[in-house]
Amino acid sequence: MVQSYLKHGPTQAFGVVCSSSSNSVFDGKLAYVPALEDVLVWDVKKGQMTAMWHETGHREEVTCIVQSPQRDSFAVGYADGSVRLWNASSGSVSTTFNGHKKAITALAFDATGTRLASGSQDTDIILWDIVAESGLYRLRGHRDQVTNISFISVTTDQPSTSTATAPGLLLTSSKDTFLKLWDLTTQHCVQTVVAHRSEVWSLAVDEDRKVIFTGGAEGELKAWKIDQDAMAEGLKETENGEVSKMILPLTTLPLASKHRVSQIQFHPTQPYLAVQSHDRSVEIFRIRTEEEVRKKQARRRKRAKEKKGQEQGKSSKSEDLDDDEEHSNSMEESLVDFFTPHLVVRASGKIRSFDFGLDHENSRGKTPLFVALASNAIEVYNIPQPTKSKEEQPEATRSYSVDLPGHRTDVRTLCLSSDDQMLASASHGSLKIWNMKTTQCIRTMECGYAICSTFLPGDRHVAVGTKSGEILIYDIASSTLIDTVKAHTSTVWSMHLRADGQALVSGSADKDVKFWSLEYQEATNESVQSGKLLTLTHVRTLKMSDDVLAVRYSPNSKFLAVSLLDSTVKVFYQDSLKFFLSLYGHKLPVLSMDISDDSKLIVTCSADKNVKIWGLDFGDCHKSIFAHEESVMQVAFEKDSHYFWTVGKDKMLKYWDGDKFEGIQKLEGHHGEIWALALSHHGNFVVTGSHDKSIRVWEKLDEPLFLEEEREKELEKLYESGIADSLNRSEAPIGSGVEGGNMVSETEAAAVTKQTAETLMAGERIMEALELADNERGALREYEEAMSRLAEDDAMRMQPPARNPVLAAYDLEPEAYVLRVVEKIPSTSLHDALLVLPFGKVVSLMVYLNIWAQKGWNIALVSRIIFFLLKVHHHQIVANRIMRTTLIPLRKHLRYALQKQKDVIGYNIAALQFIKRKNDAERTAQFYEEENMDEEKVKARIAEGKKRKRVNLKA
């Protein structure tokens, strides 16, 4: 009988407020923030999480978030190069785009929200059609990671009947120090600007499209002018033979700090510009109106004249020179005058990204600024309006902060209460108690740098060992620190409670193992608590030869195991502290160990990446297992069994059989080193805590797990990913840092393709459907031919052949079944799936396309498939005479079907325009009746919207 185990699966991930892998988006009320592989939606005012966008089975980290102009839609980029479109109201994925090989670093929607541009670490930029759910083209040219993307619309005088694609330009910045301007109609780069001496980290375009700001790694904020006339004309030569430039340098804006300019953003409605060039602060500039700038310049000229009048010793010649200098600086001064420093917002931690809210301002006339911190917290600051008085300096005030549902630093230690209802997690600075049913944080207490922790008997108190050598005892009910025991002179690396709950042992870097008895003493009057207080009383000390890294009582309270820095584990008798065994064999120190419930096995895990299983009777090593790719941080036996769990710095949680010495299950999910592990006392679940600040629960499922099946699945996965990788492999361009790069540079524009395991399977499904349908049609044809040779009353006439069971089950004709299979393939992976088909199957598919066109089934899909296949297999189709019989009727049927669709759509558009005209007329009439206004006023009222004052910057 093959042994089966029970499978474990991820159920919860909590403790993350906001991870630092991506930027965040704020709409004035809700904040959309990355939380490792998920996106969380926080109501910042209430401090509540309103939604979690999670896709089952997807484990890659979020690296970029952007909101569409259609407010309900968001594009989210991931570390595996995929982009998902999320619907905010339903919290579900509407489309997945696969095209990039590496993590997404920049995303941007165009003004209508119908096109999306994505930039990646693989240096490519891809344009996606949101409506058709397909990749339009790939733009190549950058030599390093793309950092920012912005659409620039061009005012063109094209007639409404123009068939040209949506005009426009795309501006991209990259770590290769360049700004590139791409013409989207020709799909080529029309200008490359060497923007900075080092990487270009940030980019923002002013709303009226006149000025571009770029920020570099050296702390410079540069301004560039957009020449609208040159853009409208396109690439043209000037009189002296040079190509006209569309982006021209203007000036440099002075900043308060000289760090990397990591983000620049204009407020969508208010005259503000925000720049982050320091880890912990955001600088706010106010954009002045033209009138204010003119007044300032007039004042400056007046002061200059007064100064000249006082300095009579100067010659007239030098005065003329001054006039020339003033004129030359006027262009730079005018821009600097428009952008005046307003205030600096200082956050409580390192800022990962910031965002302005969409609404204009809050009730007190202040503008909100949302800040996502790298320390797992989010904050909202209020920016006050500028005041006339010189004395009062405007100060930004913090209005909301969400930081309690998570730790600021790595989760270093976890422990569960005896009934598995509560979980205590501790980090550098805080101890948190969580309700395991709701995964809500119910208590937060300040503590030092926590290293180890344990619940004390009764589950009312938690003991925490710190880096400074203290043992802190907390009362959970009152959230108070009730005792601080100066236990050791150096880090307390480990604590363990004896099975009877009467004693505690602690091991420290000061080479001491100390034994403590748990006692209750009367509370003093000053104490917060009344009644009896739990305290630790020092009983005895065991001096060791080296730093103590781990201590462990055996469950039968007979032995005490002590792990030392010299890579050995010493086992003593618990009562007399007499030496019993020495376990040596690890090459590096043992970081953690555990003893099985029957006190027969001890398992040790070490920084040498190995786990060793020892017998506790003779100290013999049963097995040494190479368990993880990095240091193994913690190990624990499951209750009443010889199965054990390990966690490591390689981000993996692993489940092992301690009798058969083989791995049962690998669980991926964390995005940082796993520091802590806690096992349920009933063996139902496992909890892990990590450097990524998340706490994850892995629950035991009812599903059985067979080792052979798991190994087969792993091999299949490897094989499929290997095929996909070999199909996606392309020659590396020069300068990409890959050895053996192409000597011939690639084309600037290319098709968007990326084979994944899903697209390969989709292609196989199409092939299977075609084969099944061809066989069915062939059998029917043979039957009909045989019947046509026989007379009506011939005895040989027989029943038609039995239908294929699949077709009979769906009750479909062969051609309808093929269409059903093709329709079920996601629109984004259809092209990649069609590329998998061999040419023989393409010929077969053309026959079905003709039938679908004739019957008018899903004409949009039919057209898309036909055009793609003709483009890909053009040479073979042209050279193949047999195809002629299929293509001629296909052309006729498709033209007829498309004409029919065009008529229907034209009719519908005309009807909608009529309804719009009628509605406008009714609204205008309503205004006339209500307010007795004249025609100009009515038109102005209808057209007016809350727009920011436009500022025309003089060059």
Side-chain angles (χ1 to χ4, degrees), residues 709-720:
E709 278 183 22
E710 290 300 304
R711 303 288 175 273
E712 276 176 27
K713 277 180 195 169
E714 277 179 31
L715 287 169
E716 269 177 35
K717 204 172 170 185
L718 270 173
Y719 176 66
E720 280 173 0

Side-chain angles (χ1 to χ4, degrees), residues 2 83 139 152 344 375 523 567 674 696 799 931:
V2 178
V83 180
L139 298 171
I152 296 178
V344 176
S375 61
S567 310
I674 304 177
R696 288 172 190 261
Q799 286 281 74
E931 301 189 18

Side-chain angles (χ1 to χ4, degrees), residues 66 98 139 219 222 256 269 346 436 524 534 674 710 826 837 845:
V66 69
N98 275 308
L139 298 171
K222 288 190 178 179
T269 52
R346 287 184 176 84
M436 284 305 290
T524 54
L534 183 71
I674 304 177
E710 290 300 304
L837 302 182
L845 184 58

